[in-house]
DNA sequence: CTTAGGG
DNA sequence: CCCTAAG
């Protein structure tokens, strides 16, 4: 089981939850992604317009403009733009669930063409919640639970109303320095909590925080933020002292099976068109610094879109290209934005008989998580792989204030307590020997992962750095997380003993297989086989060249050939992943052309011995 | 179970 | 890599 969290879309340096996109007719995934981004950009514009409008009229209004439009569009025009659907935005006041500081929110009804034909379902799935403001400016997007193991958990707090809404409130927090006026940011929250105390955060439904609260049904949120590529999402983002936002809420409900789990954060969205930026704002979300667990590097796209500081320069009319040029301001005016892509749950150790039900597995997992969270967590900061233990030093002193240094920065989740003595632990059988890929992982860990540097709390257990996934035969086994003891690297095994889960796919057939890109040698073998056998005999290809590769099914091979043909046809610049030698791609094209021709002949004529023998 | 093709 | 219709 892979437990990690991914944020969704990052625009202008911020994460967005998934806005509903309207699937049209797409040829493939990539086009779908592009289109989704467009739709989300559209939604973004709408939200920006809403915030703009609210800036102008603090009393609710029913019309707003979309930034970027050449004209001042009416609401109706906006709603008809691009989307064939009829969206309905209604700005309301006085929602009972809205805290006093949040005096406006917007309901959105979407009748777009979702896959689900049901109106009710559609409405539910297209609802979303946005929060404009909050006293913090560093928080991030949303997280979600997508894994079947816990996806059914409901958050009592969030199940309140099914009314889709955009929740907008005023901003009057300390981060106004970068947004001098109140209403210049939209935040897409799931939840926020001003209390850093994790124990408090474990009870989001009892939070007394008045700034804002989540009003997004957990199931809605899940669907909104769901991508089919996501696994279990479970994480914490804590921009340390800079944000009081991110926290984990986790609590088994009183009932038997309903266990609430929620992770909530708020997200500020800045708008490029805004002319209110006057202070220094350092976007630390560049360069992929935020690789919690060391392994979550930002993608190029994410980095390139993390351009809030660039936007800042733009609106300021400052032709600067570097952050330094924005630093004449007082240091205390500067905000370092942290965008932590993901944390990985420190431990998840579950032992459960095979005869147990899926439901009991869920509960067990939930209890295990609760045990971990309940023991207390704190965030560790690692600079250049070394634990930074001086909490009193400023970011500037620590060298965290410059974006160009931030790729040296990592965060870890660390357990405050010693070994949680729960029944989920099994110190007798710690599986810290990782037969597969462990070497690779260790090699990828920063040098001197001696997390302590002699300063860290000896009782703390550094966070899980990664979940090791191993493969045996055609099944994937998830190996226990790798822990590095803060005391002694060699004794790290004592940290949090773990045991592999029983094959998740056994209890969850829907579990997606681990992606394992084809190596060049595999491609070579595939090309060779197809050259000889043709493109319609994938079982033979499998038996002939991949019989030993249990994880490659003939469907996989067929799919790989499909992508190979596609790869060979596109320009090298468009190709991704490990480069396939052009020579191989040429062979792909030749073989594909040849066998296509053969197939055409076979359609016209009865099968010939020659074709079947692959003579060409 | 295999193949083919869309997602 | 998933899903599924079709044979």
């Amino acid at each position: 089981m892979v437990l990690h969290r991914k944020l969704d879309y990052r625009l202008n340096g911020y994460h967005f939850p998934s806005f509903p996109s309207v699937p049209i007719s797409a040829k493939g995934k990539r086009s779908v992604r592009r289109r989704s981004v467009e739709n989300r950009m559209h939604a973004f514009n709408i939200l920006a317009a809403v915030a703009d409008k609210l800036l102008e009229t603090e009393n609710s209004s029913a019309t707003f403009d979309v930034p970027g439009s050449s004209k001042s569009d009416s609401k109706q025009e906006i709603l008809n733009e691009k989307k064939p659907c009829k969206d309905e935005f209604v700005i309301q006041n006085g929602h009972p669930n809205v805290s006093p500081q949040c005096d406006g929110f917007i309901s959105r009804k979407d009748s777009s063409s979702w896959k689900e034909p049901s109106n009710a379902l559609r409405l539910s799935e297209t609802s979303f919640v946005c929060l404009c403001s909050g006293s913090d400016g560093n928080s991030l997007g949303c997280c979600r639970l997508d894994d079947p193991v816990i996806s059914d958990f409901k958050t009592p707090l969030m199940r309140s109303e099914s009314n889709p809404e955009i929740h907008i409130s005023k901003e009057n927090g300390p981060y106004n320095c970068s947004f001098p006026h109140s209403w210049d940011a939209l935040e897409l929250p799931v939840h926020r909590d001003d209390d850093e105390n994790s124990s408090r955060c474990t009870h989001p439904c009892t939070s007394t925080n008045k700034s804002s609260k989540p009003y997004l049904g957990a199931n809605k949120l899940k669907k909104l933020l769901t991508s089919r590529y996501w696994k279990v999402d479970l994480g914490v983002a804590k921009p340390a002292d800079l944000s009081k936002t991110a926290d984990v809420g986790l609590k088994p409900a009183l009932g038997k099976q309903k266990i609430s789990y929620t992770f909530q954060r708020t997200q500020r969205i800045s708008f490029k068109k805004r002319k209110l930026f006057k202070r220094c704002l350092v976007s630390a979300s560049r360069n992929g610094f935020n690789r919690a667990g060391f392994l979550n590097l930002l993608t190029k796209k994410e980095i390139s879109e993390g351009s809030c500081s660039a936007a800042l320069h733009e609106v300021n009319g400052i032709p600067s290209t570097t952050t330094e040029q924005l630093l004449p301001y007082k240091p205390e005016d500067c905000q370092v934005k942290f965008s932590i892509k993901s944390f990985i749950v420190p431990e998840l150790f579950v032992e459960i008989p095979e005869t147990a039900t899926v439901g009991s597995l869920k509960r067990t997992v939930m209890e295990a998580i609760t045990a971990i969270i309940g023991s207390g967590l704190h965030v560790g900061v690692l600079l250049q792989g070394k634990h930074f233990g001086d909490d009193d030093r400023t970011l500037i002193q620590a060298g965290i204030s410059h974006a160009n240094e931030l790729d040296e920065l990592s965060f870890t989740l660390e357990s405050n307590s010693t070994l949680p003595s729960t029944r989920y632990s099994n110190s007798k059988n710690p599986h810290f020997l990782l037969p597969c890929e462990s070497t690779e992982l260790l090699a990828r860990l920063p040098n001197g992962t001696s997390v302590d540097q002699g300063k860290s709390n000896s009782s703390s257990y550094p966070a899980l750095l990664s979940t090791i996934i191993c493969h045996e035969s055609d099944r994937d086994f998830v190996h226990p997380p790798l822990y590095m003891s803060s005391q002694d690297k060699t004794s790290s095994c004592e940290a949090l003993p773990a045991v592999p889960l029983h094959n998740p796919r056994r209890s969850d057939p829907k579990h997606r297989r681990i992606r394992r890109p084809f190596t060049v040698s595999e491609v070579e073998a595939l090309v060779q086989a197809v050259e000889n056998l043709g493109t319609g005999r994938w079982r033979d290809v499998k038996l002939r060249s991949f019989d030993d590769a249990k994880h490659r099914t003939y469907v996989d091979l067929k799919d790989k050939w499909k992508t190979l043909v596609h790869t060979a046809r596109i320009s090298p610049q468009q190709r991704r992943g490990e480069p396939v030698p052009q020579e191989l791609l040429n062979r792909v094209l030749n073989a594909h052309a040849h066998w296509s021709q053969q197939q055409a002949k076979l359609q016209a004529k009865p099968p010939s011995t020659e074709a079947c023998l692959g003579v060409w």
Side-chain angles (χ1 to χ4, degrees):
Chain A
M1 169 174 305
V2 180
L3 283 177
H4 61 196
R5 189 181 58 74
K6 288 183 181 176
L7 297 179
D8 202 349
Y9 301 88
R10 175 190 290 261
L11 303 173
N12 292 329
Y14 296 92
H15 295 289
F16 275 69
S18 283
F19 284 102
S21 63
V22 184
I24 313 174
S25 61
K27 295 291 184 180
K29 282 180 186 174
R30 301 174 77 178
S31 58
V32 170
R33 287 169 185 157
R34 283 194 295 271
R35 187 190 60 243
S36 297
V37 168
E38 287 177 8
N39 285 333
R40 284 170 181 82
M41 285 299 292
H42 179 59
F44 170 78
N45 285 336
I46 292 176
L47 293 175
V50 169
D52 272 332
K53 200 63 184 181
L54 290 173
L55 271 172
E56 299 172 14
T57 62
E58 300 198 358
N59 291 328
S60 299
S61 170
T63 63
F64 45 83
D65 302 330
V66 168
S69 301
S70 55
K71 303 174 183 178
S72 178
D73 297 316
S74 72
K75 170 189 173 184
Q76 199 55 45
E77 286 169 329
I78 294 169
L79 300 181
N80 290 337
E81 178 186 344
K82 276 190 173 180
K83 285 185 175 180
C85 59
K86 301 169 186 174
D87 295 350
E88 179 182 353
F89 287 85
V90 181
I91 301 177
Q92 305 173 10
N93 274 326
H95 191 283
N97 288 334
V98 178
S99 68
Q101 298 177 20
C102 310
D103 49 8
F105 60 94
I106 302 168
S107 296
R108 177 178 188 261
K109 294 179 179 177
D110 191 337
S111 59
S112 61
S113 58
W114 290 97
K115 285 183 175 179
E116 291 75 9
S118 162
N119 264 335
L121 181 58
R122 188 183 310 146
L123 184 65
S124 171
E125 291 199 359
T126 57
S127 62
F128 53 87
V129 174
C130 303
L131 173 62
C132 176
S133 84
S135 58
D136 55 275
N138 296 298
S139 48
L140 311 174
C142 306
C143 88
R144 34 173 288 286
L145 293 170
D146 196 27
D147 190 275
V149 172
I150 40 185
S151 62
D152 285 340
F153 298 154
K154 277 194 172 180
T155 304
L157 183 66
M158 304 174 92
R159 69 173 176 232
S160 53
E161 297 296 328
S162 61
N163 182 27
E165 58 192 34
I166 304 175
H167 168 200
I168 299 177
S169 68
K170 263 194 165 181
E171 166 164 349
N172 42 22
Y175 294 91
N176 285 349
C177 53
S178 56
F179 298 92
H181 298 287
S182 294
W183 292 80
D184 45 308
L186 257 181
E187 293 185 351
L188 307 180
V190 186
H191 182 59
R192 50 162 303 202
D193 193 325
D194 284 346
D195 196 338
E196 286 248 51
N197 187 341
S198 62
S199 64
R200 176 180 173 181
C201 304
T202 60
H203 301 274
C205 53
T206 60
S207 169
T208 56
N209 179 8
K210 294 179 180 178
S211 297
S212 61
K213 291 178 181 180
Y215 305 107
L216 186 57
N219 53 343
K220 289 186 206 167
L221 177 64
K222 185 183 78 175
K223 290 184 177 178
L224 281 176
L225 302 183
T226 289
S227 155
R228 63 175 305 179
Y229 307 101
W230 292 0
K231 303 300 184 186
V232 176
D233 282 2
L234 178 62
V236 172
K238 270 199 182 183
D241 298 333
L242 292 181
S243 172
K244 300 176 290 186
T245 332
D247 269 318
V248 167
L250 173 63
K251 169 184 166 68
L254 295 178
K256 283 184 178 180
Q257 301 209 353
K258 295 297 180 184
I259 301 177
S260 69
Y261 173 86
T262 177
F263 172 82
Q264 299 121 355
R265 297 174 306 170
T266 51
Q267 171 63 58
R268 170 182 300 235
I269 302 167
S270 67
F271 305 115
K272 272 196 173 182
K273 292 241 168 191
R274 202 160 287 289
K275 53 201 174 210
L276 302 175
F277 299 95
K278 290 178 181 173
R279 301 292 184 91
C280 166
L281 178 66
V282 178
S283 170
S285 61
R286 296 168 148 186
N287 302 326
F289 87 93
N290 44 358
R291 40 180 183 175
F294 306 107
L295 301 178
N296 287 302
L297 294 172
L298 291 179
T299 66
K300 278 184 181 179
K301 177 185 172 189
E302 286 172 316
I303 295 171
S304 65
E305 289 180 333
S307 56
C308 62
S309 61
L312 176 64
H313 302 175
E314 208 177 301
V315 296
N316 280 334
I318 301 174
S320 62
T321 54
T322 63
T323 303
E324 285 68 26
Q325 297 183 32
L326 282 177
L327 293 178
Y329 300 102
K330 290 180 182 179
E332 50 267 34
D333 290 336
C334 299
Q335 302 296 325
V336 185
K337 279 201 170 294
F338 291 86
S339 181
I340 301 169
K341 189 175 182 182
S342 66
F343 277 107
I344 301 176
V345 171
E347 182 206 31
L348 183 62
F349 166 65
V350 174
E351 196 166 33
I352 190 169
E354 287 189 23
T355 54
T357 64
V358 174
S360 66
L361 172 63
K362 292 178 180 179
R363 289 190 295 273
T364 305
V365 171
M366 198 63 221
E367 291 169 20
I369 295 175
T370 305
I372 299 168
I373 303 296
S375 68
L377 290 174
H378 69 267
V379 172
V381 175
L382 289 88
L383 282 173
Q384 296 177 333
K386 298 179 181 177
H387 191 273
F388 190 83
D390 192 345
D391 290 344
D392 296 325
R393 235 186 286 183
T394 67
L395 296 181
I396 289 181
Q397 291 170 341
I400 310 180
S401 57
H402 289 254
N404 56 357
E405 300 289 332
L406 289 171
D407 56 329
E408 309 285 346
L409 179 64
S410 299
F411 295 93
T412 61
L413 281 184
E414 302 173 4
S415 173
N416 282 328
S417 67
T418 53
L419 211 74
S421 57
T422 71
R423 58 194 171 93
Y424 309 103
S425 301
N426 181 4
S427 57
K428 296 177 183 176
N429 188 25
H431 289 233
F432 288 101
L433 297 178
L434 308 172
C436 300
E437 298 180 1
S438 56
T439 304
E440 178 188 352
L441 176 83
L442 288 168
R444 291 159 72 185
L445 292 176
N447 289 334
T449 317
S450 48
V451 190
D452 51 344
Q453 293 297 307
K455 299 202 69 175
S456 67
N457 184 349
S458 62
S459 66
S460 72
Y461 288 93
L464 159 66
L465 298 180
S466 177
T467 297
I468 314 298
I469 297 169
C470 210
H471 318 286
E472 295 180 22
S473 80
D474 63 342
R475 294 190 299 217
D476 300 327
F477 287 85
V478 180
H479 282 257
L482 174 64
Y483 289 94
M484 303 303 292
S485 167
S486 61
Q487 293 176 303
D488 183 357
K489 221 171 154 183
T490 61
S491 65
S492 64
C493 295
E494 71 176 351
L496 292 170
V499 149
L501 294 172
H502 292 288
N503 187 357
R505 280 190 288 157
R506 192 173 302 173
S507 56
D508 175 23
K510 295 297 176 64
H511 197 285
R512 191 184 180 95
R513 287 192 298 157
I514 302 299
R515 181 177 176 272
R516 280 189 274 186
F518 277 68
T519 64
V520 172
S521 59
E522 281 181 308
V523 171
E524 161 90 53
L526 176 60
V527 171
Q528 179 71 47
V530 173
E531 283 175 341
N532 295 328
L533 298 173
T535 54
R537 300 167 61 187
W538 301 111
R539 183 177 175 275
D540 292 338
V541 171
K542 160 72 178 174
L543 295 176
R544 175 162 174 164
S545 300
F546 291 85
D547 202 22
D548 295 334
K550 301 300 181 187
H551 60 290
R552 304 294 189 198
T553 68
Y554 46 74
V555 176
D556 294 333
L557 302 176
K558 181 262 303 176
D559 288 341
K560 180 56 185 175
W561 183 260
K562 179 174 63 177
T563 60
L564 275 176
V565 172
H566 178 258
T567 301
R569 286 171 170 170
I570 63 179
S571 66
Q573 292 78 22
Q574 295 176 287
R575 296 168 190 166
R576 300 182 300 180
E578 186 181 7
V580 178
Q582 187 59 44
E583 176 266 339
L584 272 178
L585 293 176
N586 293 336
R587 289 170 63 187
V588 168
L589 287 181
N590 290 334
H592 182 264
H594 175 262
W595 288 108
S596 296
Q597 189 179 3
Q598 294 299 322
Q599 194 172 22
K601 288 180 181 177
L602 290 178
Q603 305 241 328
K605 296 180 180 180
S608 72
T609 308
E610 183 184 58
C612 292
L613 292 175
V615 179
W616 54 304

